[in-house]
Structure formats: structure tokens, C-alpha cells
Amino acid sequence: MSNIRLEALKIAFEHKPAVVEEPKGKVKDYFAQDVFSREKMKEYIAQDVLDQLFDDVDNGRTIHREIAGVVAIGIRKWAIEHGATHFTHWFQPLTGGTAEKHDAFFTLKNGALMEEFSGESLYQQEPDASSFPSGGIRNTFEARGYSAWDPSSPVFLIGDTLCIPTVFVAYTGEALDYKTPLIRSTASLCHAAREVCAYFDKQVKHVHANLGWEQEYFLVDEALYNARPDLMLTGRTLMGHNSAKSQQLEDHYFGAIPARVLAFMRELEYEALKAGVPVRTRHNEVAPNQFEMAPIFEDVNLANDHNLLVMSIMERVAEKHHFRVLLHEKPYAGVNGSGKHCNWSMSTNTGINLLAPGKNPYQNLQFITFLVNVLMAVQRHNGLLKASIVSATNEHRLGANEAPPAIISVFLGKQISEVLDKLEHASAEEAIIINAKKEMKLGVANIPEILLDNTDRNRTSPFAFTGNRFEFRAVGSSANCGAAMLALNAAVAEQLMLFKEEVDARIEQGEPKERVLFDVIKKYIVACKAIRFDGNGYSEEWKTEAAKRGLDCETSVPLVIDRYLSDTSINMFERTGVLTRAELQSRSEVKWETYVKKLQIESRVMGDLVVNHVLPAAKRYQTMLLQNVLAVKQVFSADETASLNAMDYSIIKQIEEHSGAILDGVERMTEARHKANRQPDERAKALAYHDNVLPLMAEIREHADALELIVDDEMWTLPKYRELMFIH
Ligand code: ADP
Ligand code: MG
């Protein structure tokens, strides 16, 4: 007997660790070898042009076309010398992932070979935008969208293609991607944070937002993947009974990395390093066949480009090792899902991390100021921040018992909580003593320079302070981090503006600066108590408590998406110049639409799997049992057969019941889907899919998984959880 699963298993067992060639030299010799870095630009572009370019980039100004023209010639020369034949504008549409449109450097004109890559093609391109989601923006405003060079992120090579990081906008300027508003949000945050820094240090000219992402992923053998239509078409298993052993023993987390996986990781690291991504850590994660990769943090825009680049490198390298990488947040039910923790901080051009305690009282007051303002921003926009991370795929991870809960709260840890408590109850005289030399002493709030030992970590918190940064853990593994980062940057920027307004108004009244800062911070410490929670985020009590505190407790993804369109969100985004009302409307449309499409595909695949894979296997096995019962009857006496057949009868009946339930479920699911598709708009469709289709998929799955336990192993055609998770 043979079936596709058994064939796939044979192939999978033959896969051996691939031989990986180490690049020549030390890491510093090949790091960023595929990147046209500032250093390399000096060899190809005149210094005065570069001075102008870097000055414009560093100060967020638009690049002149003449400059772009000269830079383009340098880029082309470098790229062609390094084997490039094509170039592409590389951008980040709202569907997630990245999009590319490749053009050759050369073209034939009247029989002669012409160089095609001009300043114009570096600067701007018009991809066929009609197939990227715009949530109606292009229809309402103007049919064309174009991509434009983001000179703050360096161009790089993938194979024979020069990739130019670009923004993607409608002809009228509305953002159709993640990069555009992310860049706007960093500009807004930079400005607002610099103004607040001026209370403490006039030297600060520039504030950066930093991002250090931690990418979790699963690997699965390619042959087994190919035998699972659900993995291929939806990125997750829509059914599959739990493996008897999965992550209970936690032996994978601490275990050695398997040889085949190690080979994959080494090649992935070499490729990432060559592409200029400063990858640093690699290790096993909690679930079997789950792993993580993390680079050193960088400026948020560059870090996000690097994350997207690494996601595509992963997919490419995995294929060479006969693996498929699963970036889905929840490929398997019952074991840990994958997130992408976004470590976020702000730092100044003077080298100060604004979220780390400093060396003197002034720096510490500055640290507390930024910390408390972040708390205020996260509290005010907790619903929006949740909206920035929800999706049809992350939905399966949030709120489950091993992932961030679906309520945004902030963990601060014991040390910082104590500092805030002390400040809250201190008088200005106690807290801020200004001596004869006009030096400030933070009397009560002695903050240790190094915060949080590793034991003071709360894994259940979706947004945790980890000593010198915040870790936004609710972000999904397949997401573009930009969505979450731009919401956070903008929310904090708005909050810093509000803070400054309040402080300035009182200083103008003649009150001393230190006292005003202290008073306002103290008021904020009291005001932001609702968002602070150091307890167990998974507990039932927390859900009740969070609702009492007025935090957003909605769990339905289509309803959470509404938070983009609340007055609080629209005002904040418009005030900071990050997104307009129209852009927010279009983004929500795209979110609903994507949600609908994903669930529609899942539901169809589910129907196909149970009807064409599960039921035929079950029926075949049932027929075999029925034949056995008849045969037994012919051989044994009636008395004997009663007990002999008890087990067969029981299984025959169970198969009959589960099969009936599945057919009934599929019928109702199809009906629910058709009804959902007839809803008048994307939001209503998304709601109908969430409320009526999703629960039926869970119901059908239960019966399919029950059949998997009963049916003869050799007849089962879909690779099982133990095979998907333990073969490497
Ligand atoms: P963990 O203990 O969470 O695994 P790591 O030390 O491995 O933490 O760091 C996780 C990520 O946080 C890395 O990408 C690292 O570069 C990043 N990170 C460290 N410090 C900062 C910071 N100040 N701002 C932003 N990211 C940071
Ligand atoms: Mg971490």
C-alpha cells in the first residue's frame, strides 16, 4: 500500500544536511558585501555630491533630481561590476511581504545596446499598481501609483538584481505601503522627542527610533510540506491531531540544534550578513522545529527593511536545504506560535538611550520623562496598538495560553515600579533638591544604572520594559513590523507634544522648569496606572480587571480593526502627520479585505481536505472493518462473534458519526461562506467570516482530528503532527 504521505516520508528520511560553503575571510570581510554602503559610494560618486546627499538624507529633506542622476550613475557602475543585469524597485505593499518589478539595465534601441538605468529610474517608477491593495484610494483619487527611492536605506544586490528600497504612493501622495508612514512617523517622533530633550540637554539635534526584531519561525521538511495542501495554500495546518509528544518536556528549547537545521542556519546567516543584516543570535524556540533569529538593533526604517529582506532570504535558503520555512503565526494548533518581538527604543545623536537610566540626576529625570510618556501613549492608544498587530493569522496566536494576551498592557518590573511609586508619593522638595550650585538631586528616586536582571521577566506581557527598551511582543511573525512601529512612533510623538505643551504653559507662567517637569510627571504616573500590569496576562482575573480599568478587551479581529478609525486615532495620526483620515480608511479596508480573503481560502481548503482526503481514508478503513465483521460472522458462532466484534463495531460507528458530522459541517460552512460573501462591504464580510465561518472550521476540525486517531495509520494520507514537527 502506498499513499502520498508514505511517499513523502520516504523522501524526507533521505534528506541529509547540506554542505554549506563558508564565505572567505572573517565576518568583517564579507559583511555587507552586497550592499552599496556609504563607504563604497565614496569610490563611485564625487564627494560634493555625496555631502549633499547625506546631508539631505540625515535631515529628512527631499533629494534633488540632479543629485539622484549622478548617484544613479554610480549605483549602476557598482551594480554592473558586481554582476547585476537587472534592477528593481523594492517596496512594501499592504498585503505584507515585499513586491518587486524587474527591469533590465540594458535595452536594444535601433539595434544598439543602450543603458537604461537613469536618475529617473532610480528616483521613480510606475509599477502596475492596479493589482496591489489600496482600499479604494486609487479609485477615489487617481488611478496611478508609483514607487520612489528611499535614499535613507541603501541599495543592495540579490543575485543578479539591484534592489532599490522604495516607498509606494498614489499619484496624489497617499501612502499605499508601510514604509511611507513609517518614515513619516520617525520624522514626527524625532521632532517631538528632540523638543523634550531640550529641557535636559541642548546638544541633542536628532533622535532615532530603534528596532531590534526577533524573528521566530518553523521549519518543515519540503516533501511533507508538499503533501499538506493546507500548509501550501494557507501557511498553517487546518487539521491534525496533537502529537503524543510535543513541547511538554521543553527539551527542544534547550536541546542542540539538529545538523540539517544548523546547516540551514549557517547559510542563512552568511547570506544575511552579506546583505548587511547584523544577525547575532540563533537558537531553538519552545515548540519542536521552531527557531529564532535576531540581529543587532538598527534605525527602525533600516531594521524593518532588513527584516523583510531576511524573511525572503529565509525562504530562498530553506529550499536549498529541502525545508520550507513557515512564517505563519500559528502553523500548528496546541504548540507555541511564532511572534516577532519588536524591541523599540529612542536614542539621541549624542549617544544617549532615552529609555535607559543615566549617570546623573538630570539624565534620570529625562529617562523617567520618556518612560512615563511612553506609558501614557500606550495607555491612550492601547486599542490602536492592538489593531496594528491583528490579522487573520496572528488571531490564532493572541489570547491563546502561550502567547501575548489580546489586551495590551505594560510590564515594568519591580525596580521601575518602585521608582514610580516613590516619585508618586514624594513632594517636589523631597525629590528634587537644587543645591547652591544649581545642581539637581533626584533625592528619592535613586535609579540603579543597570535595570532588570534576567529573572525579572514577564513572558505573558504583550509590551514589556526590558531594562533599556520596550519589547512589543504581540507583533506576529509574518507581519511587516512597520505597521506596529509606525503606530507606536506616532502615539509617542503625539504624547510628547502634549507633554511639552503642558510643561511650556506652566514655565511661561514663571514656575521653575524642574518643578514643572516633576509635577507633570507625577500627574502622569497617577494617570497611567491602568496600563501598568505586572501579573499574569493569561489569567481570567486579568480579563475582568482589565475591563474594569477601561482597557480595550475586544478579541474579534474585524472589530479591533475599527480602532484605526476612532476619533482618538484619527486625531493623533493627523496631528503627527503620519496618516490622513483617507489613508486610515483605506488601510482598514485593506485589513478587512485581507482578512476575508484569508478565511475564504482557508475555508475552501478545509472543505477540500475533509471531503477529498479525510473522508475517503476513513471510508476505506470502515469498509475494511465491515468486511472483517462479515468474515468473522462466517467463521465463528453467533455467541462468539458478539464479543469478538465489539471493537470493530465501535470504530465503525465512530467513523460513521464523525463522517456524518463532517459532511453536515461542510454543508453549513459552505452556506455560511456564501452568506458572508453576499455582505455589502468588507467590514461586514469580515465580521460574518469571523462570527460564522471560523467557528464551523473549528467544529469540522475536531471531527477530522478524531478520525485521524482511529483510522489505520497506513491509510492516512496527510502527514501527521509528529512527522511535521519532529523530522529534520
Ligand atoms: P532577549 O533576552 O529578549 O532574547 P536580546 O539581548 O537577544 O534579548 O535582544 C533582543 C533584541 O533586542 C536584539 O535585536 C537586540 O539588538 C535588541 N536590543 C537590545 N538593546 C536595544 C535597544 N536599546 N533598543 C532596541 N533594541 C534593542
Ligand atoms: Mg526578547
Side-chain angles (χ1 to χ4, degrees):
M1 171 162 336
S2 182
N3 65 43
I4 182 167
R5 168 172 154 255
L6 302 179
E7 296 286 330
L9 281 169
K10 252 191 245 156
I11 299 171
F13 286 133
E14 277 162 20
H15 286 147
K16 297 278 175 299
V19 179
V20 177
E21 222 179 292
E22 195 172 341
K24 289 188 186 62
K26 298 209 171 83
V27 173
K28 68 171 174 39
D29 299 324
Y30 57 84
F31 180 70
Q33 74 172 43
D34 298 337
V35 183
F36 196 43
S37 61
R38 286 192 173 193
E39 201 52 41
K40 287 181 202 154
M41 288 172 111
K42 290 183 188 155
E43 285 174 45
Y44 292 83
I45 300 165
Q47 192 59 46
D48 58 329
V49 175
L50 285 185
D51 288 345
Q52 180 69 49
L53 177 73
F54 296 159
D55 195 48
D56 288 342
V57 168
D58 294 342
N59 291 294
R61 287 192 296 265
T62 317
I63 310 299
H64 291 292
R65 276 172 192 255
E66 306 86 77
I67 298 280
V70 180
V71 174
I73 294 168
I75 291 179
R76 185 182 59 204
K77 185 153 186 284
W78 170 79
I80 291 173
E81 274 177 24
H82 289 78
T85 53
H86 288 67
F87 69 94
T88 179
H89 274 197
W90 188 75
F91 59 100
Q92 306 170 14
L94 294 173
T95 30
T98 48
E100 302 165 14
K101 176 179 177 266
H102 294 222
D103 278 315
F105 278 124
F106 298 99
T107 184
L108 278 178
K109 275 198 187 123
N110 304 327
L113 206 58
M114 299 280 292
E115 289 183 345
E116 266 273 288
F117 185 68
S118 61
E120 203 61 28
S121 28
L122 169 66
Y123 205 80
Q124 185 169 315
Q125 228 186 22
E126 247 176 274
D128 176 18
S130 56
S131 48
F132 293 105
S134 67
I137 272 197
R138 274 192 311 269
N139 304 340
T140 339
F141 295 91
E142 163 71 52
R144 281 145 73 197
Y146 65 91
S147 54
W149 182 34
D150 166 19
S152 65
S153 185
V155 302
F156 55 91
L157 290 169
I158 296 183
D160 61 6
T161 304
L162 170 72
C163 298
I164 303 161
T166 54
V167 295
F168 183 44
V169 289
Y171 197 69
T172 41
E174 280 83 7
L176 299 174
D177 66 349
Y178 287 110
K179 198 188 233 304
T180 309
L182 180 62
I183 292 174
R184 291 179 190 156
S185 76
T186 54
S188 177
L189 181 64
C190 172
H191 182 78
R194 193 183 55 212
E195 302 244 289
V196 171
C197 283
Y199 293 131
F200 308 94
D201 182 359
K202 298 264 189 256
Q203 301 302 312
V204 174
K205 296 274 177 290
H206 205 94
V207 176
H208 285 282
N210 304 308
L211 165 63
W213 44 265
E214 301 167 61
Q215 177 75 54
E216 293 181 331
Y217 61 95
F218 281 85
L219 286 177
V220 61
D221 186 274
E222 151 197 279
L224 301 175
Y225 172 92
N226 288 337
R228 289 285 312 215
D230 47 357
L231 275 184
M232 287 175 71
L233 299 177
T234 74
R236 74 176 179 113
T237 53
L238 296 173
M239 58 190 64
H241 200 281
N242 279 344
S243 170
K245 173 180 189 280
S246 62
Q247 63 185 41
Q248 307 93 320
L249 302 176
E250 299 196 344
D251 47 355
H252 178 65
Y253 192 67
F254 299 108
I257 300 175
R260 231 181 111 196
V261 176
L262 194 58
F264 158 79
M265 282 182 172
R266 284 178 51 215
E267 183 159 0
L268 171 61
E269 279 173 16
Y270 297 147
E271 291 303 311
L273 287 167
K274 285 193 230 163
V277 186
V279 292
R280 205 174 53 108
T281 62
R282 57 171 177 215
H283 59 76
N284 292 349
E285 263 304 321
V286 178
N289 269 356
Q290 191 188 27
F291 308 93
E292 181 188 290
M293 171 182 226
I296 296 165
F297 70 92
E298 301 172 288
D299 169 78
V300 60
N301 178 32
L302 183 60
N304 193 38
D305 282 0
H306 279 165
N307 177 241
L308 291 160
L309 181 56
V310 161
M311 295 203 296
S312 63
I313 294 176
M314 273 179 163
E315 285 174 349
R316 183 159 43 89
V317 173
E319 285 186 24
K320 282 175 70 180
H321 294 255
H322 301 294
F323 280 126
R324 284 292 182 279
V325 55
L326 305 177
L327 292 169
H328 194 290
E329 283 78 359
K330 196 78 181 176
Y332 307 111
V335 297
N336 269 38
S338 298
K340 181 149 53 199
H341 297 179
C342 287
N343 294 270
W344 175 89
S345 66
M346 293 171 278
S347 58
T348 67
N349 62 309
T350 54
I352 301 290
N353 176 353
L354 295 170
L355 292 177
K359 293 193 168 32
N360 59 50
Y362 251 102
Q363 283 180 0
N364 277 340
L365 190 61
Q366 174 172 275
F367 158 60
I368 295 290
T369 301
F370 279 93
L371 181 93
V372 170
N373 273 294
V374 173
L375 293 176
M376 289 291 281
V378 174
Q379 175 161 303
R380 180 175 308 112
H381 296 289
N382 72 90
L384 170 71
L385 288 170
K386 181 160 63 184
S388 77
I389 56 95
V390 293
S391 65
T393 52
N394 207 13
E395 178 170 30
H396 299 285
R397 173 172 168 260
L398 297 171
N401 238 13
E402 25 73 15
I407 300 166
I408 302 291
S409 64
V410 182
F411 167 85
L412 284 181
K414 202 159 153 265
Q415 288 168 305
I416 289 293
S417 298
E418 276 173 7
V419 169
L420 295 191
D421 290 345
K422 270 194 193 160
L423 281 174
E424 181 190 338
H425 296 107
S427 67
E429 287 66 31
E430 274 179 296
I432 301 179
I433 307 156
I434 304 202
N435 65 17
K437 283 196 240 152
K438 293 261 186 235
E439 283 170 337
M440 184 182 65
K441 298 258 180 300
L442 260 189
V444 290
N446 280 326
I447 305 172
E449 247 184 74
I450 306 289
L451 288 173
L452 297 191
D453 51 276
N454 256 325
T455 52
D456 194 16
R457 287 254 174 143
N458 182 328
R459 300 255 158 224
T460 71
S461 178
F463 201 99
F465 184 69
T466 46
N468 58 3
R469 61 194 190 264
F470 280 98
E471 188 169 334
F472 195 1
R473 301 202 181 114
V475 182
S477 50
S478 72
N480 181 317
C481 313
M485 293 296 100
L486 73 92
L488 180 59
N489 288 344
V492 174
E494 177 204 44
Q495 175 55 41
L496 291 171
M497 291 176 195
L498 295 171
F499 175 74
K500 184 174 157 53
E501 275 168 16
E502 191 167 350
V503 170
D504 284 355
R506 285 180 54 180
I507 293 177
E508 270 168 39
Q509 304 280 313
E511 291 186 61
K513 184 176 78 178
E514 284 76 12
R515 195 188 168 101
V516 176
L517 288 171
F518 176 75
D519 276 357
V520 177
I521 287 167
K522 196 165 146 168
K523 190 177 89 179
Y524 283 3
I525 291 174
V526 178
C528 70
K529 278 195 176 162
I531 200 72
R532 282 167 56 187
F533 178 63
D534 282 7
N536 178 5
Y538 300 159
S539 68
E540 282 305 312
E541 300 84 70
W542 170 232
K543 287 182 193 158
T544 322
E545 166 67 17
K548 266 197 229 147
R549 293 189 188 185
L551 298 178
D552 195 311
C553 297
E554 185 55 61
T555 57
S556 160
V557 170
L559 293 178
V560 173
I561 296 170
D562 282 342
R563 308 299 182 256
Y564 274 110
L565 299 173
S566 72
D567 287 343
T568 324
S569 301
I570 295 175
N571 290 341
M572 181 278 282
F573 278 124
E574 295 210 318
R575 172 152 198 213
T576 51
V578 173
L579 288 165
T580 63
R581 180 184 292 265
E583 285 171 326
L584 286 162
Q585 271 158 351
S586 77
R587 253 147 233 269
S588 326
E589 282 296 306
V590 172
K591 276 219 163 199
W592 284 314
E593 193 184 322
T594 311
Y595 185 86
V596 167
K597 283 187 182 154
K598 292 229 158 136
L599 258 71
Q600 190 176 46
I601 293 169
E602 284 194 350
S603 158
R604 286 177 178 159
V605 172
M606 179 104 200
D608 170 51
L609 279 188
V610 286
V611 172
N612 301 317
H613 294 248
V614 172
L615 290 182
K619 286 287 153 186
R620 218 173 300 136
Y621 183 51
Q622 192 190 37
T623 306
M624 201 178 92
L625 293 177
L626 284 166
Q627 281 165 352
N628 185 48
V629 168
L630 290 179
V632 166
K633 273 210 169 117
Q634 286 174 347
V635 177
F636 294 95
S637 72
D639 273 359
E640 286 166 318
T641 48
S643 61
L644 274 172
N645 277 321
M647 182 185 151
D648 286 351
Y649 277 134
S650 155
I651 294 178
I652 289 165
K653 259 176 66 190
Q654 285 179 54
I655 292 179
E656 203 51 36
E657 281 163 15
H658 290 306
S659 306
I662 285 176
L663 282 174
D664 175 61
V666 169
E667 207 169 290
R668 285 183 291 135
M669 177 176 73
T670 311
E671 176 59 34
R673 198 166 70 222
H674 292 166
K675 222 168 135 188
N677 295 340
R678 286 197 299 269
Q679 295 303 307
D681 55 56
E682 294 304 324
R683 181 177 180 278
K685 279 185 207 173
L687 275 172
Y689 267 97
H690 177 273
D691 296 347
N692 306 325
V693 178
L694 204 52
L696 285 170
M697 288 177 61
E699 191 185 312
I700 296 167
R701 175 185 183 139
E702 231 173 84
H703 294 289
D705 289 356
L707 284 176
E708 185 186 320
L709 271 195
I710 305 171
V711 172
D712 179 6
D713 184 66
E714 287 199 0
M715 290 183 173
W716 199 255
T717 59
L718 296 167
K720 297 184 171 182
Y721 267 27
R722 61 169 186 264
E723 295 150 359
L724 296 168
M725 285 195 267
F726 285 94
I727 294 175
H728 37 237

